[in-house]
PDB file of all heavy atoms in Angstrom:
ATOM      1  N   ASP Y   1     142.842 -28.539-173.862  1.00  0.00           N
ATOM      2  CA  ASP Y   1     143.328 -28.359-172.502  1.00  0.00           C
ATOM      3  C   ASP Y   1     143.596 -26.894-172.184  1.00  0.00           C
ATOM      4  O   ASP Y   1     144.065 -26.138-173.042  1.00  0.00           O
ATOM      5  CB  ASP Y   1     144.676 -29.108-172.322  1.00  0.00           C
ATOM      6  CG  ASP Y   1     144.565 -30.563-172.697  1.00  0.00           C
ATOM      7  OD1 ASP Y   1     144.166 -31.361-171.841  1.00  0.00           O
ATOM      8  OD2 ASP Y   1     144.897 -30.930-173.858  1.00  0.00           O
ATOM      9  N   ILE Y   2     143.306 -26.519-170.931  1.00  0.00           N
ATOM     10  CA  ILE Y   2     143.814 -25.256-170.391  1.00  0.00           C
ATOM     11  C   ILE Y   2     144.635 -25.595-169.153  1.00  0.00           C
ATOM     12  O   ILE Y   2     144.332 -26.558-168.421  1.00  0.00           O
ATOM     13  CB  ILE Y   2     142.698 -24.244-170.093  1.00  0.00           C
ATOM     14  CG1 ILE Y   2     141.750 -24.729-168.994  1.00  0.00           C
ATOM     15  CG2 ILE Y   2     141.909 -23.912-171.344  1.00  0.00           C
ATOM     16  CD1 ILE Y   2     140.733 -23.664-168.593  1.00  0.00           C
ATOM     17  N   VAL Y   3     145.718 -24.830-168.934  1.00  0.00           N
ATOM     18  CA  VAL Y   3     146.701 -25.171-167.910  1.00  0.00           C
ATOM     19  C   VAL Y   3     146.882 -23.976-166.969  1.00  0.00           C
ATOM     20  O   VAL Y   3     146.991 -22.816-167.432  1.00  0.00           O
ATOM     21  CB  VAL Y   3     148.049 -25.553-168.557  1.00  0.00           C
ATOM     22  CG1 VAL Y   3     149.079 -25.896-167.475  1.00  0.00           C
ATOM     23  CG2 VAL Y   3     147.869 -26.717-169.518  1.00  0.00           C
ATOM     24  N   TYR Y   4     146.913 -24.263-165.685  1.00  0.00           N
ATOM     25  CA  TYR Y   4     147.063 -23.217-164.675  1.00  0.00           C
ATOM     26  C   TYR Y   4     148.304 -23.472-163.826  1.00  0.00           C
ATOM     27  O   TYR Y   4     148.607 -24.617-163.463  1.00  0.00           O
ATOM     28  CB  TYR Y   4     145.818 -23.154-163.769  1.00  0.00           C
ATOM     29  CG  TYR Y   4     144.671 -22.475-164.453  1.00  0.00           C
ATOM     30  CD1 TYR Y   4     143.943 -23.124-165.418  1.00  0.00           C
ATOM     31  CD2 TYR Y   4     144.332 -21.147-164.142  1.00  0.00           C
ATOM     32  CE1 TYR Y   4     142.900 -22.497-166.077  1.00  0.00           C
ATOM     33  CE2 TYR Y   4     143.286 -20.520-164.795  1.00  0.00           C
ATOM     34  CZ  TYR Y   4     142.568 -21.181-165.757  1.00  0.00           C
ATOM     35  OH  TYR Y   4     141.532 -20.550-166.425  1.00  0.00           O
ATOM     36  N   GLU Y   5     149.019 -22.386-163.505  1.00  0.00           N
ATOM     37  CA  GLU Y   5     150.131 -22.438-162.551  1.00  0.00           C
ATOM     38  C   GLU Y   5     149.578 -22.144-161.169  1.00  0.00           C
ATOM     39  O   GLU Y   5     148.782 -21.198-160.985  1.00  0.00           O
ATOM     40  CB  GLU Y   5     151.188 -21.423-162.924  1.00  0.00           C
ATOM     41  CG  GLU Y   5     152.420 -21.492-162.039  1.00  0.00           C
ATOM     42  CD  GLU Y   5     153.491 -20.484-162.440  1.00  0.00           C
ATOM     43  OE1 GLU Y   5     153.340 -19.840-163.510  1.00  0.00           O
ATOM     44  OE2 GLU Y   5     154.448 -20.328-161.660  1.00  0.00           O
ATOM     45  N   LEU Y   6     149.962 -22.953-160.191  1.00  0.00           N
ATOM     46  CA  LEU Y   6     149.442 -22.838-158.839  1.00  0.00           C
ATOM     47  C   LEU Y   6     150.403 -22.078-157.932  1.00  0.00           C
ATOM     48  O   LEU Y   6     151.619 -22.054-158.185  1.00  0.00           O
ATOM     49  CB  LEU Y   6     149.155 -24.225-158.255  1.00  0.00           C
ATOM     50  CG  LEU Y   6     148.209 -25.107-159.085  1.00  0.00           C
ATOM     51  CD1 LEU Y   6     148.065 -26.490-158.460  1.00  0.00           C
ATOM     52  CD2 LEU Y   6     146.853 -24.430-159.253  1.00  0.00           C
ATOM     53  N   LYS Y   7     149.860 -21.477-156.875  1.00  0.00           N
ATOM     54  CA  LYS Y   7     150.671 -20.679-155.973  1.00  0.00           C
ATOM     55  C   LYS Y   7     151.652 -21.536-155.175  1.00  0.00           C
ATOM     56  O   LYS Y   7     152.787 -21.128-154.924  1.00  0.00           O
ATOM     57  CB  LYS Y   7     149.772 -19.907-155.003  1.00  0.00           C
ATOM     58  CG  LYS Y   7     148.947 -18.810-155.648  1.00  0.00           C
ATOM     59  CD  LYS Y   7     148.001 -18.182-154.635  1.00  0.00           C
ATOM     60  CE  LYS Y   7     147.172 -17.077-155.273  1.00  0.00           C
ATOM     61  NZ  LYS Y   7     146.140 -16.548-154.329  1.00  0.00           N
ATOM     62  N   THR Y   8     151.200 -22.708-154.769  1.00  0.00           N
ATOM     63  CA  THR Y   8     152.032 -23.582-153.950  1.00  0.00           C
ATOM     64  C   THR Y   8     152.006 -25.004-154.534  1.00  0.00           C
ATOM     65  O   THR Y   8     151.292 -25.282-155.478  1.00  0.00           O
ATOM     66  CB  THR Y   8     151.535 -23.614-152.488  1.00  0.00           C
ATOM     67  OG1 THR Y   8     150.136 -23.947-152.485  1.00  0.00           O
ATOM     68  CG2 THR Y   8     151.706 -22.238-151.824  1.00  0.00           C
ATOM     69  N   ALA Y   9     152.776 -25.905-153.922  1.00  0.00           N
ATOM     70  CA  ALA Y   9     152.917 -27.268-154.444  1.00  0.00           C
ATOM     71  C   ALA Y   9     151.708 -28.139-154.081  1.00  0.00           C
ATOM     72  O   ALA Y   9     151.808 -29.079-153.292  1.00  0.00           O
ATOM     73  CB  ALA Y   9     154.204 -27.894-153.911  1.00  0.00           C
ATOM     74  N   ASP Y  10     150.553 -27.796-154.679  1.00  0.00           N
ATOM     75  CA  ASP Y  10     149.299 -28.445-154.302  1.00  0.00           C
ATOM     76  C   ASP Y  10     148.855 -29.514-155.311  1.00  0.00           C
ATOM     77  O   ASP Y  10     147.739 -30.036-155.188  1.00  0.00           O
ATOM     78  CB  ASP Y  10     148.186 -27.416-154.157  1.00  0.00           C
ATOM     79  CG  ASP Y  10     148.317 -26.622-152.864  1.00  0.00           C
ATOM     80  OD1 ASP Y  10     148.366 -27.237-151.797  1.00  0.00           O
ATOM     81  OD2 ASP Y  10     148.367 -25.375-152.940  1.00  0.00           O
ATOM     82  N   SER Y  11     149.669 -29.813-156.304  1.00  0.00           N
ATOM     83  CA  SER Y  11     149.274 -30.838-157.271  1.00  0.00           C
ATOM     84  C   SER Y  11     150.324 -31.957-157.313  1.00  0.00           C
ATOM     85  O   SER Y  11     151.350 -31.916-156.611  1.00  0.00           O
ATOM     86  CB  SER Y  11     149.102 -30.212-158.659  1.00  0.00           C
ATOM     87  OG  SER Y  11     150.373 -29.989-159.278  1.00  0.00           O
ATOM     88  N   LEU Y  12     150.066 -32.920-158.164  1.00  0.00           N
ATOM     89  CA  LEU Y  12     150.981 -34.053-158.282  1.00  0.00           C
ATOM     90  C   LEU Y  12     152.318 -33.675-158.860  1.00  0.00           C
ATOM     91  O   LEU Y  12     153.282 -34.460-158.800  1.00  0.00           O
ATOM     92  CB  LEU Y  12     150.324 -35.140-159.142  1.00  0.00           C
ATOM     93  CG  LEU Y  12     149.105 -35.842-158.546  1.00  0.00           C
ATOM     94  CD1 LEU Y  12     148.395 -36.694-159.597  1.00  0.00           C
ATOM     95  CD2 LEU Y  12     149.485 -36.699-157.348  1.00  0.00           C
ATOM     96  N   ASP Y  13     152.435 -32.476-159.425  1.00  0.00           N
ATOM     97  CA  ASP Y  13     153.702 -32.036-160.014  1.00  0.00           C
ATOM     98  C   ASP Y  13     154.841 -32.038-158.998  1.00  0.00           C
ATOM     99  O   ASP Y  13     156.009 -32.203-159.360  1.00  0.00           O
ATOM    100  CB  ASP Y  13     153.561 -30.635-160.617  1.00  0.00           C
ATOM    101  CG  ASP Y  13     152.772 -30.647-161.908  1.00  0.00           C
ATOM    102  OD1 ASP Y  13     152.555 -31.728-162.470  1.00  0.00           O
ATOM    103  OD2 ASP Y  13     152.347 -29.560-162.344  1.00  0.00           O
ATOM    104  N   LYS Y  14     154.521 -31.851-157.723  1.00  0.00           N
ATOM    105  CA  LYS Y  14     155.602 -31.792-156.744  1.00  0.00           C
ATOM    106  C   LYS Y  14     156.366 -33.119-156.661  1.00  0.00           C
ATOM    107  O   LYS Y  14     157.536 -33.145-156.257  1.00  0.00           O
ATOM    108  CB  LYS Y  14     155.071 -31.366-155.383  1.00  0.00           C
ATOM    109  CG  LYS Y  14     154.448 -32.446-154.521  1.00  0.00           C
ATOM    110  CD  LYS Y  14     154.087 -31.845-153.162  1.00  0.00           C
ATOM    111  CE  LYS Y  14     153.619 -32.891-152.171  1.00  0.00           C
ATOM    112  NZ  LYS Y  14     153.253 -32.317-150.880  1.00  0.00           N
ATOM    113  N   TYR Y  15     155.702 -34.197-157.086  1.00  0.00           N
ATOM    114  CA  TYR Y  15     156.364 -35.490-157.014  1.00  0.00           C
ATOM    115  C   TYR Y  15     157.321 -35.740-158.182  1.00  0.00           C
ATOM    116  O   TYR Y  15     157.901 -36.828-158.299  1.00  0.00           O
ATOM    117  CB  TYR Y  15     155.308 -36.604-156.917  1.00  0.00           C
ATOM    118  CG  TYR Y  15     154.501 -36.466-155.657  1.00  0.00           C
ATOM    119  CD1 TYR Y  15     153.249 -35.852-155.652  1.00  0.00           C
ATOM    120  CD2 TYR Y  15     155.027 -36.902-154.441  1.00  0.00           C
ATOM    121  CE1 TYR Y  15     152.530 -35.682-154.504  1.00  0.00           C
ATOM    122  CE2 TYR Y  15     154.298 -36.737-153.270  1.00  0.00           C
ATOM    123  CZ  TYR Y  15     153.057 -36.112-153.301  1.00  0.00           C
ATOM    124  OH  TYR Y  15     152.367 -35.948-152.123  1.00  0.00           O
ATOM    125  N   ASN Y  16     157.515 -34.718-159.037  1.00  0.00           N
ATOM    126  CA  ASN Y  16     158.580 -34.786-160.043  1.00  0.00           C
ATOM    127  C   ASN Y  16     159.945 -34.605-159.380  1.00  0.00           C
ATOM    128  O   ASN Y  16     160.957 -34.991-159.978  1.00  0.00           O
ATOM    129  CB  ASN Y  16     158.376 -33.704-161.100  1.00  0.00           C
ATOM    130  CG  ASN Y  16     157.120 -33.977-161.949  1.00  0.00           C
ATOM    131  OD1 ASN Y  16     156.740 -35.124-162.113  1.00  0.00           O
ATOM    132  ND2 ASN Y  16     156.510 -32.927-162.441  1.00  0.00           N
ATOM    133  N   LYS Y  17     159.976 -34.000-158.207  1.00  0.00           N
ATOM    134  CA  LYS Y  17     161.234 -33.824-157.479  1.00  0.00           C
ATOM    135  C   LYS Y  17     161.624 -35.165-156.856  1.00  0.00           C
ATOM    136  O   LYS Y  17     160.778 -35.874-156.282  1.00  0.00           O
ATOM    137  CB  LYS Y  17     161.094 -32.741-156.400  1.00  0.00           C
ATOM    138  CG  LYS Y  17     160.953 -31.342-156.972  1.00  0.00           C
ATOM    139  CD  LYS Y  17     161.015 -30.300-155.863  1.00  0.00           C
ATOM    140  CE  LYS Y  17     161.187 -28.906-156.412  1.00  0.00           C
ATOM    141  NZ  LYS Y  17     160.035 -28.445-157.184  1.00  0.00           N
ATOM    142  N   LEU Y  18     162.894 -35.488-156.909  1.00  0.00           N
ATOM    143  CA  LEU Y  18     163.361 -36.822-156.538  1.00  0.00           C
ATOM    144  C   LEU Y  18     162.971 -37.218-155.111  1.00  0.00           C
ATOM    145  O   LEU Y  18     162.500 -38.325-154.876  1.00  0.00           O
ATOM    146  CB  LEU Y  18     164.886 -36.919-156.733  1.00  0.00           C
ATOM    147  CG  LEU Y  18     165.499 -38.308-156.430  1.00  0.00           C
ATOM    148  CD1 LEU Y  18     164.892 -39.379-157.335  1.00  0.00           C
ATOM    149  CD2 LEU Y  18     167.015 -38.271-156.552  1.00  0.00           C
ATOM    150  N   HIS Y  19     163.178 -36.304-154.146  1.00  0.00           N
ATOM    151  CA  HIS Y  19     162.915 -36.698-152.770  1.00  0.00           C
ATOM    152  C   HIS Y  19     161.432 -36.973-152.519  1.00  0.00           C
ATOM    153  O   HIS Y  19     161.072 -37.901-151.796  1.00  0.00           O
ATOM    154  CB  HIS Y  19     163.457 -35.660-151.777  1.00  0.00           C
ATOM    155  CG  HIS Y  19     162.798 -34.320-151.843  1.00  0.00           C
ATOM    156  ND1 HIS Y  19     162.977 -33.462-152.903  1.00  0.00           N
ATOM    157  CD2 HIS Y  19     161.962 -33.688-150.976  1.00  0.00           C
ATOM    158  CE1 HIS Y  19     162.298 -32.354-152.682  1.00  0.00           C
ATOM    159  NE2 HIS Y  19     161.674 -32.461-151.533  1.00  0.00           N
ATOM    160  N   TRP Y  20     160.563 -36.173-153.171  1.00  0.00           N
ATOM    161  CA  TRP Y  20     159.133 -36.429-153.058  1.00  0.00           C
ATOM    162  C   TRP Y  20     158.730 -37.723-153.782  1.00  0.00           C
ATOM    163  O   TRP Y  20     157.862 -38.465-153.311  1.00  0.00           O
ATOM    164  CB  TRP Y  20     158.331 -35.254-153.610  1.00  0.00           C
ATOM    165  CG  TRP Y  20     158.242 -34.077-152.690  1.00  0.00           C
ATOM    166  CD1 TRP Y  20     158.789 -32.853-152.851  1.00  0.00           C
ATOM    167  CD2 TRP Y  20     157.547 -34.034-151.421  1.00  0.00           C
ATOM    168  NE1 TRP Y  20     158.502 -32.031-151.785  1.00  0.00           N
ATOM    169  CE2 TRP Y  20     157.730 -32.735-150.894  1.00  0.00           C
ATOM    170  CE3 TRP Y  20     156.818 -34.952-150.696  1.00  0.00           C
ATOM    171  CZ2 TRP Y  20     157.197 -32.332-149.668  1.00  0.00           C
ATOM    172  CZ3 TRP Y  20     156.284 -34.573-149.472  1.00  0.00           C
ATOM    173  CH2 TRP Y  20     156.482 -33.280-148.982  1.00  0.00           C
ATOM    174  N   MET Y  21     159.390 -37.958-154.930  1.00  0.00           N
ATOM    175  CA  MET Y  21     159.101 -39.187-155.689  1.00  0.00           C
ATOM    176  C   MET Y  21     159.443 -40.424-154.845  1.00  0.00           C
ATOM    177  O   MET Y  21     158.665 -41.384-154.794  1.00  0.00           O
ATOM    178  CB  MET Y  21     159.919 -39.168-156.977  1.00  0.00           C
ATOM    179  CG  MET Y  21     159.540 -40.244-157.963  1.00  0.00           C
ATOM    180  SD  MET Y  21     160.613 -40.229-159.439  1.00  0.00           S
ATOM    181  CE  MET Y  21     160.340 -38.576-160.076  1.00  0.00           C
ATOM    182  N   LEU Y  22     160.591 -40.377-154.168  1.00  0.00           N
ATOM    183  CA  LEU Y  22     161.003 -41.513-153.331  1.00  0.00           C
ATOM    184  C   LEU Y  22     160.035 -41.698-152.167  1.00  0.00           C
ATOM    185  O   LEU Y  22     159.674 -42.812-151.802  1.00  0.00           O
ATOM    186  CB  LEU Y  22     162.428 -41.288-152.824  1.00  0.00           C
ATOM    187  CG  LEU Y  22     163.503 -41.336-153.906  1.00  0.00           C
ATOM    188  CD1 LEU Y  22     164.855 -40.910-153.331  1.00  0.00           C
ATOM    189  CD2 LEU Y  22     163.615 -42.718-154.542  1.00  0.00           C
ATOM    190  N   TRP Y  23     159.605 -40.563-151.588  1.00  0.00           N
ATOM    191  CA  TRP Y  23     158.661 -40.645-150.486  1.00  0.00           C
ATOM    192  C   TRP Y  23     157.346 -41.251-150.935  1.00  0.00           C
ATOM    193  O   TRP Y  23     156.783 -42.126-150.250  1.00  0.00           O
ATOM    194  CB  TRP Y  23     158.432 -39.231-149.913  1.00  0.00           C
ATOM    195  CG  TRP Y  23     157.394 -39.191-148.822  1.00  0.00           C
ATOM    196  CD1 TRP Y  23     156.112 -38.763-148.920  1.00  0.00           C
ATOM    197  CD2 TRP Y  23     157.555 -39.631-147.481  1.00  0.00           C
ATOM    198  NE1 TRP Y  23     155.450 -38.909-147.719  1.00  0.00           N
ATOM    199  CE2 TRP Y  23     156.303 -39.441-146.808  1.00  0.00           C
ATOM    200  CE3 TRP Y  23     158.615 -40.185-146.749  1.00  0.00           C
ATOM    201  CZ2 TRP Y  23     156.119 -39.742-145.468  1.00  0.00           C
ATOM    202  CZ3 TRP Y  23     158.420 -40.509-145.416  1.00  0.00           C
ATOM    203  CH2 TRP Y  23     157.177 -40.288-144.786  1.00  0.00           C
ATOM    204  N   ALA Y  24     156.854 -40.857-152.106  1.00  0.00           N
ATOM    205  CA  ALA Y  24     155.597 -41.388-152.638  1.00  0.00           C
ATOM    206  C   ALA Y  24     155.718 -42.889-152.902  1.00  0.00           C
ATOM    207  O   ALA Y  24     154.793 -43.647-152.624  1.00  0.00           O
ATOM    208  CB  ALA Y  24     155.194 -40.638-153.906  1.00  0.00           C
TER     209      ALA Y  24
END
């Protein structure tokens, strides 16, 4: 694997935050 950090919340990682998780 190679891993990249993105400039903005453009991946599924943003749904680790509770409010986004609830929305999803």
Side-chain angles (χ1 to χ4, degrees):
D1 305 275
I2 63 174
V3 180
Y4 283 76
E5 184 179 352
L6 304 177
K7 291 175 181 174
T8 54
D10 285 305
S11 78
L12 293 169
D13 287 346
K14 82 175 187 181
Y15 297 98
N16 293 331
K17 291 188 167 66
L18 182 60
H19 65 290
W20 282 113
M21 191 183 300
L22 293 172
W23 176 257

